[in-house]
Short mmCIF file of all heavy atoms in Angstrom, two decimals:
data_model
loop_
_atom_site.label_atom_id
_atom_site.label_comp_id
_atom_site.label_asym_id
_atom_site.label_seq_id
_atom_site.Cartn_x
_atom_site.Cartn_y
_atom_site.Cartn_z
N VAL Y 27 115.88 13.25 43.21
CA VAL Y 27 116.44 14.58 43.52
C VAL Y 27 117.25 14.54 44.82
O VAL Y 27 117.61 15.58 45.35
CB VAL Y 27 115.32 15.63 43.63
CG1 VAL Y 27 114.62 15.81 42.29
CG2 VAL Y 27 114.30 15.27 44.73
N GLY Y 28 117.55 13.35 45.30
CA GLY Y 28 118.25 13.22 46.58
C GLY Y 28 119.72 13.54 46.53
O GLY Y 28 120.37 13.67 47.58
N ASP Y 29 120.29 13.64 45.31
CA ASP Y 29 121.69 14.03 45.13
C ASP Y 29 122.64 13.14 45.95
O ASP Y 29 123.65 13.60 46.46
CB ASP Y 29 121.89 15.50 45.50
CG ASP Y 29 123.21 16.06 44.99
OD1 ASP Y 29 123.70 15.58 43.94
OD2 ASP Y 29 123.76 16.97 45.64
N TRP Y 30 122.28 11.86 46.08
CA TRP Y 30 123.09 10.87 46.80
C TRP Y 30 123.36 11.28 48.25
O TRP Y 30 124.41 11.00 48.83
CB TRP Y 30 124.40 10.61 46.06
CG TRP Y 30 124.84 9.18 46.24
CD1 TRP Y 30 125.78 8.71 47.13
CD2 TRP Y 30 124.36 8.03 45.54
NE1 TRP Y 30 125.90 7.35 47.04
CE2 TRP Y 30 125.05 6.89 46.05
CE3 TRP Y 30 123.42 7.83 44.54
CZ2 TRP Y 30 124.81 5.61 45.59
CZ3 TRP Y 30 123.19 6.55 44.07
CH2 TRP Y 30 123.88 5.47 44.59
N ARG Y 31 122.39 11.95 48.87
CA ARG Y 31 122.53 12.35 50.27
C ARG Y 31 121.55 11.55 51.12
O ARG Y 31 120.38 11.46 50.80
CB ARG Y 31 122.25 13.85 50.42
CG ARG Y 31 123.36 14.72 49.83
CD ARG Y 31 123.01 16.21 49.95
NE ARG Y 31 121.88 16.57 49.12
CZ ARG Y 31 120.78 17.16 49.57
NH1 ARG Y 31 120.65 17.44 50.86
NH2 ARG Y 31 119.79 17.47 48.74
N MET Y 32 122.03 11.01 52.23
CA MET Y 32 121.19 10.22 53.12
C MET Y 32 120.08 11.06 53.73
O MET Y 32 118.96 10.60 53.91
CB MET Y 32 122.04 9.61 54.23
CG MET Y 32 123.02 8.54 53.75
SD MET Y 32 122.18 7.01 53.29
CE MET Y 32 121.58 6.48 54.89
N GLN Y 33 120.37 12.31 54.07
CA GLN Y 33 119.43 13.15 54.79
C GLN Y 33 118.83 14.23 53.90
O GLN Y 33 118.56 15.33 54.35
CB GLN Y 33 120.13 13.79 56.00
CG GLN Y 33 120.79 12.81 56.95
CD GLN Y 33 119.81 11.80 57.52
OE1 GLN Y 33 118.65 12.13 57.75
NE2 GLN Y 33 120.25 10.58 57.75
N ALA Y 34 118.62 13.93 52.65
CA ALA Y 34 118.03 14.91 51.73
C ALA Y 34 116.62 15.29 52.20
O ALA Y 34 115.90 14.47 52.78
CB ALA Y 34 117.97 14.34 50.33
N ASP Y 35 116.24 16.55 51.97
CA ASP Y 35 114.88 16.98 52.32
C ASP Y 35 113.84 16.20 51.52
O ASP Y 35 112.79 15.84 52.05
CB ASP Y 35 114.72 18.48 52.04
CG ASP Y 35 115.57 19.34 52.97
OD1 ASP Y 35 115.88 18.86 54.08
OD2 ASP Y 35 115.92 20.46 52.58
N ARG Y 36 114.13 15.98 50.25
CA ARG Y 36 113.28 15.16 49.39
C ARG Y 36 114.17 14.25 48.56
O ARG Y 36 115.22 14.67 48.08
CB ARG Y 36 112.43 16.03 48.46
CG ARG Y 36 111.33 16.79 49.14
CD ARG Y 36 110.36 17.39 48.12
NE ARG Y 36 111.01 18.32 47.22
CZ ARG Y 36 110.41 18.93 46.21
NH1 ARG Y 36 109.12 18.66 45.94
NH2 ARG Y 36 111.06 19.77 45.44
N HIS Y 37 113.74 13.01 48.38
CA HIS Y 37 114.53 12.06 47.61
C HIS Y 37 113.99 11.88 46.20
O HIS Y 37 114.75 11.50 45.30
CB HIS Y 37 114.56 10.71 48.32
CG HIS Y 37 115.28 10.74 49.63
ND1 HIS Y 37 116.63 10.53 49.75
CD2 HIS Y 37 114.83 10.99 50.89
CE1 HIS Y 37 116.98 10.63 51.02
NE2 HIS Y 37 115.92 10.91 51.73
N GLU Y 38 112.70 12.13 45.98
CA GLU Y 38 112.12 11.98 44.66
C GLU Y 38 110.92 12.91 44.51
O GLU Y 38 110.28 13.27 45.50
CB GLU Y 38 111.71 10.52 44.40
CG GLU Y 38 110.79 9.94 45.46
CD GLU Y 38 110.56 8.45 45.29
OE1 GLU Y 38 111.33 7.80 44.57
OE2 GLU Y 38 109.58 7.95 45.89
N VAL Y 39 110.66 13.30 43.27
CA VAL Y 39 109.55 14.19 42.96
C VAL Y 39 108.74 13.57 41.84
O VAL Y 39 109.30 13.13 40.83
CB VAL Y 39 110.06 15.59 42.54
CG1 VAL Y 39 108.90 16.46 42.10
CG2 VAL Y 39 110.83 16.25 43.67
N LYS Y 40 107.42 13.57 42.00
CA LYS Y 40 106.52 12.93 41.04
C LYS Y 40 105.96 13.94 40.05
O LYS Y 40 105.50 15.00 40.44
CB LYS Y 40 105.38 12.23 41.79
CG LYS Y 40 104.44 11.40 40.93
CD LYS Y 40 103.42 10.70 41.82
CE LYS Y 40 102.53 9.76 41.03
NZ LYS Y 40 101.57 9.05 41.93
N GLU Y 41 105.99 13.58 38.77
CA GLU Y 41 105.35 14.38 37.73
C GLU Y 41 104.93 13.44 36.60
O GLU Y 41 105.77 12.98 35.83
CB GLU Y 41 106.30 15.45 37.17
CG GLU Y 41 105.65 16.30 36.08
CD GLU Y 41 106.62 17.21 35.37
OE1 GLU Y 41 107.64 17.60 35.97
OE2 GLU Y 41 106.37 17.52 34.19
N LEU Y 42 103.65 13.20 36.49
CA LEU Y 42 103.14 12.27 35.47
C LEU Y 42 102.58 13.06 34.29
O LEU Y 42 101.38 13.06 34.02
CB LEU Y 42 102.07 11.36 36.07
CG LEU Y 42 102.54 10.41 37.17
CD1 LEU Y 42 101.38 9.58 37.72
CD2 LEU Y 42 103.65 9.49 36.67
N SER Y 43 103.47 13.73 33.58
CA SER Y 43 103.09 14.54 32.43
C SER Y 43 103.69 13.98 31.15
O SER Y 43 104.64 13.18 31.19
CB SER Y 43 103.57 15.98 32.61
OG SER Y 43 104.99 16.04 32.56
N ALA Y 44 103.14 14.42 30.00
CA ALA Y 44 103.69 13.98 28.72
C ALA Y 44 105.12 14.46 28.54
O ALA Y 44 105.96 13.74 27.99
CB ALA Y 44 102.80 14.48 27.58
N GLY Y 45 105.41 15.65 29.03
CA GLY Y 45 106.78 16.15 28.94
C GLY Y 45 107.75 15.30 29.75
O GLY Y 45 108.86 15.01 29.30
N GLN Y 46 107.31 14.90 30.93
CA GLN Y 46 108.15 14.02 31.75
C GLN Y 46 108.36 12.68 31.07
O GLN Y 46 109.46 12.12 31.10
CB GLN Y 46 107.50 13.83 33.12
CG GLN Y 46 108.26 12.96 34.11
CD GLN Y 46 109.33 13.72 34.87
OE1 GLN Y 46 110.10 14.48 34.28
NE2 GLN Y 46 109.38 13.51 36.17
N LEU Y 47 107.32 12.14 30.47
CA LEU Y 47 107.46 10.88 29.74
C LEU Y 47 108.53 11.01 28.65
O LEU Y 47 109.41 10.15 28.55
CB LEU Y 47 106.12 10.48 29.12
CG LEU Y 47 106.13 9.35 28.08
CD1 LEU Y 47 106.70 8.07 28.67
CD2 LEU Y 47 104.73 9.13 27.52
N ARG Y 48 108.46 12.06 27.86
CA ARG Y 48 109.44 12.22 26.77
C ARG Y 48 110.85 12.39 27.32
O ARG Y 48 111.81 11.76 26.83
CB ARG Y 48 109.05 13.42 25.91
CG ARG Y 48 107.79 13.21 25.07
CD ARG Y 48 107.61 14.33 24.06
NE ARG Y 48 107.37 15.61 24.73
CZ ARG Y 48 106.16 16.08 25.02
NH1 ARG Y 48 105.08 15.36 24.73
NH2 ARG Y 48 106.02 17.26 25.60
N ARG Y 49 111.00 13.25 28.34
CA ARG Y 49 112.34 13.48 28.90
C ARG Y 49 112.93 12.21 29.48
O ARG Y 49 114.09 11.86 29.22
CB ARG Y 49 112.27 14.56 30.00
CG ARG Y 49 112.08 15.98 29.52
CD ARG Y 49 112.25 16.96 30.66
NE ARG Y 49 111.26 16.77 31.71
CZ ARG Y 49 110.07 17.36 31.73
NH1 ARG Y 49 109.70 18.15 30.73
NH2 ARG Y 49 109.23 17.17 32.74
N GLN Y 50 112.13 11.53 30.29
CA GLN Y 50 112.68 10.37 31.00
C GLN Y 50 112.86 9.18 30.07
O GLN Y 50 113.77 8.38 30.28
CB GLN Y 50 111.79 10.03 32.19
CG GLN Y 50 111.84 11.13 33.26
CD GLN Y 50 111.35 10.67 34.62
OE1 GLN Y 50 110.34 9.97 34.73
NE2 GLN Y 50 112.05 11.08 35.66
N LEU Y 51 112.04 9.05 29.06
CA LEU Y 51 112.26 7.98 28.08
C LEU Y 51 113.60 8.17 27.38
O LEU Y 51 114.35 7.19 27.19
CB LEU Y 51 111.12 7.95 27.06
CG LEU Y 51 111.25 6.91 25.94
CD1 LEU Y 51 111.35 5.50 26.50
CD2 LEU Y 51 110.06 7.02 24.97
N ASP Y 52 113.93 9.39 27.02
CA ASP Y 52 115.24 9.65 26.40
C ASP Y 52 116.36 9.28 27.37
O ASP Y 52 117.37 8.68 26.97
CB ASP Y 52 115.36 11.12 26.01
CG ASP Y 52 114.53 11.48 24.78
OD1 ASP Y 52 114.10 10.56 24.06
OD2 ASP Y 52 114.31 12.69 24.55
N GLU Y 53 116.20 9.62 28.65
CA GLU Y 53 117.23 9.31 29.64
C GLU Y 53 117.37 7.81 29.83
O GLU Y 53 118.49 7.27 29.93
CB GLU Y 53 116.88 9.99 30.97
CG GLU Y 53 116.93 11.50 30.91
CD GLU Y 53 116.26 12.18 32.09
OE1 GLU Y 53 115.61 11.47 32.91
OE2 GLU Y 53 116.36 13.41 32.20
N THR Y 54 116.24 7.13 29.90
CA THR Y 54 116.27 5.67 30.07
C THR Y 54 116.93 5.00 28.87
O THR Y 54 117.75 4.09 29.03
CB THR Y 54 114.84 5.14 30.25
OG1 THR Y 54 114.30 5.65 31.47
CG2 THR Y 54 114.82 3.62 30.29
N ARG Y 55 116.58 5.43 27.68
CA ARG Y 55 117.17 4.83 26.48
C ARG Y 55 118.66 5.10 26.41
O ARG Y 55 119.42 4.25 25.91
CB ARG Y 55 116.46 5.36 25.24
CG ARG Y 55 115.12 4.67 24.99
CD ARG Y 55 114.39 5.25 23.82
NE ARG Y 55 113.41 4.31 23.27
CZ ARG Y 55 112.40 4.66 22.51
NH1 ARG Y 55 112.21 5.93 22.19
NH2 ARG Y 55 111.56 3.75 22.05
N GLU Y 56 119.12 6.23 26.91
CA GLU Y 56 120.55 6.52 26.93
C GLU Y 56 121.29 5.51 27.80
O GLU Y 56 122.41 5.10 27.48
CB GLU Y 56 120.78 7.93 27.46
CG GLU Y 56 122.23 8.36 27.54
CD GLU Y 56 122.88 8.56 26.18
OE1 GLU Y 56 122.14 8.78 25.19
OE2 GLU Y 56 124.13 8.49 26.10
N LEU Y 57 120.67 5.07 28.87
CA LEU Y 57 121.32 4.17 29.82
C LEU Y 57 121.08 2.69 29.51
O LEU Y 57 121.96 1.85 29.74
CB LEU Y 57 120.84 4.48 31.24
CG LEU Y 57 121.26 5.84 31.79
CD1 LEU Y 57 120.48 6.18 33.05
CD2 LEU Y 57 122.76 5.87 32.07
N LEU Y 58 119.91 2.35 29.01
CA LEU Y 58 119.56 0.94 28.80
C LEU Y 58 119.53 0.54 27.34
O LEU Y 58 119.56 -0.66 27.03
CB LEU Y 58 118.20 0.65 29.44
CG LEU Y 58 118.13 0.79 30.96
CD1 LEU Y 58 116.71 0.55 31.45
CD2 LEU Y 58 119.10 -0.16 31.65
N GLY Y 59 119.43 1.50 26.43
CA GLY Y 59 119.47 1.20 25.01
C GLY Y 59 118.45 0.17 24.59
O GLY Y 59 117.28 0.20 25.01
N GLU Y 60 118.88 -0.78 23.76
CA GLU Y 60 117.97 -1.78 23.21
C GLU Y 60 117.52 -2.82 24.23
O GLU Y 60 116.68 -3.66 23.93
CB GLU Y 60 118.62 -2.47 22.02
CG GLU Y 60 118.88 -1.55 20.83
CD GLU Y 60 119.50 -2.27 19.66
OE1 GLU Y 60 119.68 -3.52 19.75
OE2 GLU Y 60 119.82 -1.61 18.67
N HIS Y 61 118.08 -2.76 25.43
CA HIS Y 61 117.64 -3.70 26.46
C HIS Y 61 116.25 -3.37 26.98
O HIS Y 61 115.59 -4.24 27.57
CB HIS Y 61 118.63 -3.70 27.63
CG HIS Y 61 119.94 -4.35 27.33
ND1 HIS Y 61 120.09 -5.72 27.30
CD2 HIS Y 61 121.15 -3.82 27.02
CE1 HIS Y 61 121.36 -6.01 27.00
NE2 HIS Y 61 122.01 -4.87 26.83
#
């Protein structure tokens, strides 16, 4: 969540939920595909 800013208030936010797993898996597959 740092928005490419050096002095961001927060750089990352943690959420270990099933919804987060599904969302981020889709995002990862979009970028890395079969790799």
